[in-house]
Amino acid sequence: MTTTDATAVPVRPRRQNPRGDQVFHAAATAAGVAVLLLIVAIAAFLIARAAPAYHRAGWRFLTEREWFPDDPSRAFGILALAFGTIVSAVLALILAVPVALGSALFLTELAPPALGRWVGHLVDLLAAVPSVVYGLWGVYYLVPRLIPVSRFLDRTLGFIPLFDSRNNTYGRSLFAAAVVLAIMVLPIVAAIAREVFRQVPTADREAALALGATRWEAIRLAVLPYSRGGVVGAVMLGLGRALGETIAIALVLAASFKVDIHVLEPGGNTIAANIATKFGESGAHGREALIASGLVLFAITLVVNVVARGVVYRSAIAAEGRP
Amino acid sequence: MNNNLISRRGRPPVTAVVAAVLLALVAGACGSDNNSGSAAGSGSTTEPKATVDCASGSISGAGSTFVQTIAQQWIKDYATACPGATVNYQGVGSGAGIQQFIAGTVDFAGSDVTMKPDEEAAASAKTGAVLHIPWSAGGIAVEYNLSTVKDLKLSPETLAGIFAGKITKWDDAAIKADNSGASLPSTGIQVVHRSDGSGTTAAFTAYLTAAGPGTWTAGSGKDVPWPTGQGAKGSDGVSGAVKQTDGAIGYSEVSFAKGAGLGIARIKNEAGQFVGPDGAAVAAALAGAEVPSDLKVKINYKPTDASAYPISTTTFVIVPRKPADAAKAKLLKSFVLYALTAGQTTAESLYYAPLPSSLREQAKTAAQSIGA
Amino acid sequence: MSAALGVGLGGVVSASTRRRRSVVNAIACTALGASVVIALIPLALVLGYTISKGSKALTGSFLTHSMRGVGPLDGTGGAYHAIIGTLEQVLIASLIAIPLGLLVAVYIVEYGRGPLRSAVRFLIDVMTGIPSIVAGLFIFAFWVLGLHRGFSGLAAGLALAVLMLPVVVRSAEEMLKLVPDNLREASYALGIPRWRTVVSVVLPTASAGITTGVMLAVARVTGETAPLLLTAFGYDAIRTSPAKGPQSGLPLFVFQQAGSAFDVAVRRAWAGALTLIAIVLVLTVVARVVAGRSQLKAN
């Protein structure tokens, strides 16, 4: 089987075209360096702007829940925001990824190719809906209809704190936000995954089928192992969207600054939504604190991506190690 | 896998082509800036042109969302009276408006609160001395969703108790005492407040602090540590949440409560009268405000006038005393003066309140000094 | 599963094993089919809601008029200025982010090595986590204030490009990595230089996937509201030149109109939302057709 790592090109071109290659190589490298500089510039700008806030808050920035950066008598910190960001994004992925991968597999592996393409484009349409529309739809359509679902979850699974609502109120909760996020993440993961599955060499798939595997076995044995890296990449892009989504969450969540695993209860907040809701009325200190919170979001994305890269790397090794 | 792709040439940049085609299509469709032909609006009062001392050019401002609706009306009416002038106002929030004013990216800022000393110092360093001119006012409505109660009456202590989370049921004795004879349900009270920073919140919590001492202890400001309830973004969000939730209570500009068709509570003033937030009641309340010479109005949340609605507030336009650009200075002065004269008459149809006459005269004097 | 297959291949197929495998297969295929249906339900709901709310106000006059001189209670006015703004801003962002993003992806997959490649790749990952408002903030500080350019559609295009870039790079990278090495090797064997191989073999092979990624990136930034507040700023009248001053954009238009107390504005917001979705839809379909045709031609 061909490995997915295309960076180690085993055969060099026989006849070099030094000038063309040099120019192209230089252009590509320059683009890489440009991006590097851009991100360094953004990071430097953000760090410079955020530094006073870190200085003011000290270590409490990491442990404090409330957010009153413009009020010298009160504190501000990232704890509740980071918690809500991670919980809502993880819940969204739990809801979205199985559906996204399942639909991608069906459309590439089982459905007739023409149908698969057109239904795929339909799913892509979900990405065409702007986040402000998801927010408005979420608040006025989805949230009221999720209340019975939440109540059902509370009644049947309420013994687990995650599904418990202590005062039996539901509505604009982290759960509702996660559902909206899941819908927004779904087309991204599904679209990339479809393309990834489509790139699986037909020969691999056919070999499995020829050996008597069922369709599902062919998927498990030929398609999924080949596309693992790409699928993780797709999920990471979805996660990036979920972590950074701003307006829709700002509209849906009944913002509160609690660290509370009872996700069916109204409340919760995320870093990005908090930036959007607090930015308009922030003073100079408030803006610095919001930028400082944006940097924490960077850090979260960074950690998640490093872990994901590690997973892909190790699974690639494991796959190669097998005969 | 395709085997014969090697012969392929690079394809044209698809998106660019698509976007260019679309752009050409739309641009070719002849859009129009002219919306005057079919003025179906009811809020537009045609002003005699003679009262407007026109200037021309273009200015832009940003800030308070509170004032945005009436500013939109002023911009329309001013442009009708003075076709050579363009005024752009974007409601991005008072704080952001002040920041942009300091940065010099806008010519004026709309703000519900006065600048802090450090902000004013930064702005003065950039543009020279600045003026705070109160240019509009409004009441903050206490809106509620109770199908059985058409005319809710609340005393300041009860209101503070509800928002402090100390009164949690609609049939609480304190609410009953304010509403003798009303059929109050036993449902729980769902408090809805703003999740974003807001001048509306600042005024509302300032009122609670003044009117419910001992009961309301969360302080006042654009954002406070709410003891109870759910947040919602924007006045539209608060009104929407109240409308969706049986037994909910919230606060917003009067226009949003009216727009959502919600009940608006009457609040007991110092004279013992239960008053709703109509324009005259707000103007009566603001007549009791303390107006220092710099016009940084200090609202009196316990006005003694029997017709006053106590949860009333003003909003400011912040301008440079001497704008660097003489043409802009002229337009700024002309527009602010327009807002303070003819502009005040449109206030009530948009659920704002006209400034009380004494305050308006002081504001006009200040506006006259722009660029002078 | 591989044990089951091994048994099957060995020819010692018991009836119960075969039945179990076919049952598992049927369950799995049903589940996959069901997930397509589940994915389409929210689409139907969101589109249905937006159409029912937006179609009432979506008139010819809405599409051809700006908001200049429209009072708060007027039912007139439209989104023409915002449509123009959005198209220009997204075009600017695409012209910057797509070529740059593809080059970066080519760099990462085909050319890069050592710490520079790791650094670029790593930072692109980090960049996917930039909240949109922070991108707006950066352009605001750098371009609007730092270079004294003021608010403009161009500034908005730059902010959107910052958001678009990592999505383009990341999806293109995934697609390029999936191009089998034997294609590259075949090309080299024919004596085709490396850069020609990338341009003529690798990129076209991955073109469908890259188009998908690019369209996702375009769709995403077309709907962004938060960065526009800090860059395009908003403007009620038509402004065709993106560099000349404040400009509106459709998401910003939707956001502002939806925040109004008055029903006439909220109706305009939904009409704007419907227009925005339609624009992205048209962009997507046309891009697919163009990409599909170029692939057909190649075959």
Side-chain angles (χ1 to χ4, degrees), chain A residues 66-68 70 74 139-140 143-144 169-170 172 199 201-202 250-251 253-255 266 276-284 287, chain B residues 1 92-96 99 116 119 190 192-193 195-199 218-219 222-225 230-233 236-237 240-241 244:
Chain A
E66 63 175 16
W67 191 265
F68 294 100
D70 278 319
R74 286 216 182 88
V139 169
Y140 292 112
V143 166
T169 54
Y170 314 95
R172 302 183 311 124
Q199 296 287 335
T202 320
L251 289 169
L253 271 183
T277 49
K278 297 287 191 277
F279 190 82
E281 293 296 343
S282 283
R287 289 221 290 185
Chain B
M1 194 57 57
V92 294
S94 302
Q99 298 288 342
K116 289 180 209 153
E119 290 171 339
Q190 304 280 336
V192 185
H193 54 75
S195 63
D196 48 340
S198 162
K222 287 173 175 177
D223 192 13
V224 297
Q230 301 180 20
K233 180 169 162 45
D236 55 320
Q244 279 182 356

Side-chain angles (χ1 to χ4, degrees), chain C residues 2 5 7 13 33 44-45 64 68 90 95 117 119-120 134 137-138 152 156 176 181 198 212 220 242 256 262 288:
Chain C
S2 54
L5 188 60
V7 168
V13 185
L45 293 177
T64 55
R68 184 184 157 85
V90 171
L95 288 178
R117 171 175 178 269
V120 171
V134 172
L137 211 54
F138 171 69
S152 68
L176 291 179
D181 279 343
V198 170
T212 299
R220 154 136 206 217
Q256 289 172 337
F262 300 109
R288 298 266 180 225

Side-chain angles (χ1 to χ4, degrees), chain C residues 84-281:
Chain C
I84 291 286
T86 281
L87 289 178
E88 289 183 351
Q89 290 151 21
V90 171
L91 181 66
I92 290 167
S94 302
L95 288 178
I96 297 169
I98 295 173
L100 185 61
L102 288 183
L103 266 180
V104 173
V106 165
Y107 170 76
I108 292 175
V109 177
E110 306 288 336
Y111 285 103
R113 64 176 76 87
L116 181 61
R117 171 175 178 269
S118 312
V120 171
R121 222 174 134 169
F122 179 71
L123 288 173
I124 287 287
D125 281 355
V126 177
M127 215 177 163
T128 59
I130 297 184
S132 52
I133 195 163
V134 172
L137 211 54
F138 171 69
I139 296 299
F140 175 72
F142 167 73
W143 183 264
V144 177
L145 293 185
L147 299 179
H148 302 291
R149 295 308 184 94
F151 298 112
S152 68
L154 180 59
L158 294 177
L160 296 182
V162 169
L163 289 170
M164 226 173 135
L165 190 65
V167 184
V168 174
V169 176
R170 201 68 160 81
S171 53
E173 183 197 335
E174 296 302 338
M175 296 309 145
L176 291 179
K177 277 199 298 197
L178 288 169
V179 174
D181 279 343
N182 51 26
L183 269 186
R184 292 185 181 84
E185 286 160 17
S187 173
Y188 298 154
L190 291 170
I192 294 167
R194 196 166 178 192
W195 72 277
R196 284 278 306 175
T197 304
V198 170
V199 172
S200 311
V201 179
V202 178
L203 283 176
T205 306
S207 70
I210 291 175
T211 308
T212 299
V214 164
M215 287 325 299
L216 283 174
V218 170
R220 154 136 206 217
V221 301
T222 307
E224 279 296 350
T225 310
L228 300 190
L229 284 167
L230 292 165
T231 51
F233 189 61
Y235 197 64
D236 286 340
I238 298 165
R239 165 111 57 204
T240 44
S241 169
K244 276 253 171 71
Q247 202 180 35
S248 190
L250 259 182
L252 192 56
F253 173 88
V254 173
F255 185 69
Q256 289 172 337
Q257 297 292 323
S260 165
F262 300 109
D263 202 38
V264 284
V266 176
R267 251 183 267 146
R268 275 195 296 263
W270 285 107
L274 190 52
T275 312
L276 187 51
I277 293 175
I279 287 176
V280 179
L281 173 66

Side-chain angles (χ1 to χ4, degrees), chain B residues 311-336:
Chain B
I311 323 176
S312 298
T313 187
T314 54
T315 182
F316 302 91
V317 57
I318 298 173
V319 296
R321 168 83 177 67
K322 282 189 167 43
D325 182 329
K328 283 191 172 184
K330 228 180 141 198
L331 178 53
L332 205 47
K333 176 177 164 183
S334 166
F335 181 68
V336 173

